[in-house]
Structure formats: structure tokens, C-alpha cells
């Protein structure tokens, strides 16, 4: 919000309708498509306002991300009721390799301090559950995810630090990985998942960045690219 930097959205593809802009969408920046593509067919414009539109001179490379070499415990992070904590002195260690994360309806997993997790399975957030990044503890959360991420209604990431760099999600799964994110209020974070189909539904605005195989913003939120990333 405090810079003149323009956003850039786009695709490496040259197939038809790879960028869909619904009526009323405003892109305060450029839209780019794959080498030699026709912007009239690659971009499906249903009444949007944008900056320049053009084919890139070369593909943007999205190198794969490998999860860090972390020890176990290879167990499930689970919250069945109320709240549990992850971090130094919490219910779960701050750094480690886990089989999955499961939050039941109305529960919270509170991040205290700096946490790095490698999740070999999936992450499931039940209705009205949250992963909370506690600003009082200068918390941060970095997740490497092999499986899918699914979110029920009114669940999501509550990054109370309001800094996108404090929540980073790396999709380390293969083709077909699905990441379905929701946020009750504003979303602050960075998602890098070049093999994943990413869907975002936010109750507020989005601050951060996204790189994915496919990306869909489901509601009329505003998205701000965070140049600090």
C-alpha cells in the first residue's frame, strides 16, 4: 500500500482462457502470457480493467522446492477440542517432520515462536478452526507440504503479525496437489506451490504472493502483492 510498485499476474501457457477476469475485476498492473501467445484468446476478459497485456519473451522458471532434512517425530498434529500450541515449550515441538495436521471444528493451533514443519501427509482444517500466528511471541510458520490442504467453512490462517513473510507455505507434492485456503479476515502469507491447484476464499483482503500450477480467487477480495517478500 505504501509503494508505487505494480502487480504482475500471468501464466506461462498459450492455451485459450488461461487467465479469466470476471466482470468488475481491476488489475492495477500488467497481465503476461506465454511465449507467442495471443492475448485475445489466452485472456478471457468479461469486463475487467487492467494495465498492459503482453506475451513474455521467455518462460518464467519455477524451480522445485525440496523439504528440509528434519527428524520426526512423524506423528499427527491434532487438536480435537480447544487449543493446542506448537513451538518452544508448547504441546508440539517447533521444528520437525509430521505425518499430518488435523484441526477439528472450532479448535485452534497456536504458533508460539518460529516454527518449521515438514508435513508428509495432508492438512485438514475443520469448520471455524484456525492456525493462529501469535504476534505477542513474534511467531512465524514455514510449512513444507507433500499432501493436500483442505479447509471447511470459516476456517483458516490467522496471521496476527500482519506480515506476509511470517507465514510461508511450500507445496512439495507432485502433480495434482490441491491447496484450498480460507481466511476469516485478512490473509497474510506467501504460497509457492508450482505443481498445485490453489484456491483461495478470504473473508478479507490478501497480502503476499502466490505461485501455483493453477490459481483461483473465489471472492471479490483485494489482493496486494507484498514487495517486501
Amino acid at each position: 500500500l505504501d509503494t508505487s510498485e505494480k502487480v504482475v499476474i500471468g501464466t506461462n501457457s498459450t492455451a485459450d482462457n488461461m487467465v479469466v477476469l470476471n466482470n468488475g475485476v481491476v488489475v492495477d498492473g500488467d497481465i503476461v502470457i506465454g511465449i507467442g501467445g495471443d492475448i485475445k484468446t489466452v485472456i478471457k476478459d468479461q469486463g475487467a480493467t487492467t494495465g498492459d497485456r503482453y506475451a513474455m519473451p521467455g518462460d518464467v522458471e519455477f524451480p522445485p522446492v525440496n523439504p528440509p532434512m528434519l527428524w520426526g517425530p512423524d506423528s499427527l498434529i491434532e487438536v480435537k477440542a480447544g487449543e493446542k500450541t506448537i513451538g518452544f515449550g508448547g504441546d508440539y515441538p517447533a521444528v520437525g517432520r509430521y505425518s499430518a495436521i488435523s484441526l477439528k471444528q472450532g479448535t485452534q493451533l497456536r504458533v508460539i515462536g518460529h516454527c518449521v514443519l515438514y508435513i508428509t501427509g495432508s492438512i485438514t482444517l475443520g469448520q471455524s478452526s484456525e492456525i493462529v500466528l501469535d504476534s505477542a511471541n513474534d511467531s512465524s510458520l514455514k510449512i513444507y507440504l507433500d499432501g493436500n490442504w483442505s479447509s471447511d467453512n470459516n476456517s483458516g490462517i490467522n496471521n496476527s503479525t500482519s506480515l506476509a513473510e511470517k507465514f510461508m507455505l511450500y507445496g512439495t507434492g507432485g502433480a495434482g496437489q490441491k491447496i484450498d485456503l480460507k481466511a476469516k479476515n485478512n490473509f497474510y502469507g506467501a504460497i509457492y506451490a508450482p505443481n498445485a491447484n490453489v484456491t483461495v476464499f478470504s473473508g478479507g483482503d490478501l497480502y503476499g504472493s502466490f505461485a501455483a500450477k493453477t490459481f483461483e480467487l473465489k471472492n471479490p477480495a483485494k489482493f496486494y502483492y507484498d514487495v517486501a517478500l
Side-chain angles (χ1 to χ4, degrees):
L1 293 176
D2 57 356
T3 77
S4 59
E5 196 81 14
K6 300 294 184 180
V7 72
V8 177
I9 67 171
T11 177
N12 279 331
S13 178
T14 59
D16 291 352
N17 303 328
M18 285 294 100
V19 179
V20 180
L21 305 170
N22 288 325
N23 184 46
V25 166
V26 177
V27 179
D28 187 15
D30 297 344
I31 301 176
V32 298
I33 64 173
I35 303 171
D38 184 346
I39 60 173
K40 294 180 180 179
T41 60
V42 178
I43 301 171
K44 182 179 181 180
D45 186 350
Q46 302 186 118
T49 301
T50 75
D52 292 338
R53 307 176 183 188
Y54 51 89
M56 295 180 288
D59 282 342
V60 176
E61 297 294 332
F62 295 100
V65 174
N66 295 316
M69 296 294 293
L70 299 177
W71 295 102
D74 293 316
S75 57
L76 170 66
I77 296 175
E78 185 175 32
V79 187
K80 293 183 177 180
E83 177 183 288
K84 288 190 175 181
T85 56
I86 184 167
F88 181 75
D91 297 300
Y92 296 98
V95 178
R97 187 180 63 223
Y98 293 89
S99 61
I101 296 177
S102 175
L103 273 60
K104 303 301 182 184
Q105 181 176 345
T107 61
Q108 288 187 339
L109 179 64
R110 184 172 297 274
V111 179
I112 51 175
H114 303 292
C115 296
V116 179
L117 309 178
Y118 172 29
I119 308 299
T120 57
S122 295
I123 296 176
T124 304
L125 273 58
Q127 183 176 347
S128 300
S129 67
E130 286 186 311
I131 297 176
V132 180
L133 274 69
D134 194 333
S135 59
N137 288 282
D138 188 31
S139 300
S140 66
L141 178 61
K142 186 179 293 185
I143 297 178
Y144 297 84
L145 177 64
D146 280 353
N148 297 327
W149 183 309
S150 60
S151 305
D152 287 344
N153 290 336
N154 207 35
S155 65
I157 302 294
N158 181 355
N159 183 353
S160 63
T161 71
S162 299
L163 297 172
E165 65 202 41
K166 295 293 187 177
F167 174 67
M168 295 194 174
L169 174 63
Y170 293 96
T172 50
Q177 184 178 27
K178 294 182 180 180
I179 298 175
D180 175 25
L181 293 175
K182 294 182 174 68
K184 294 180 180 180
N185 299 300
N186 290 341
F187 172 86
Y188 300 89
I191 313 298
Y192 183 85
N195 293 319
N197 301 309
V198 175
T199 304
V200 178
F201 187 100
S202 177
D205 294 333
L206 311 174
Y207 300 83
S209 69
F210 298 90
K213 182 179 180 181
T214 66
F215 176 80
E216 182 176 9
L217 181 57
K218 296 284 284 187
N219 68 324
K222 294 180 180 178
F223 166 60
Y224 298 94
Y225 171 64
D226 190 342
V227 297
L229 294 169

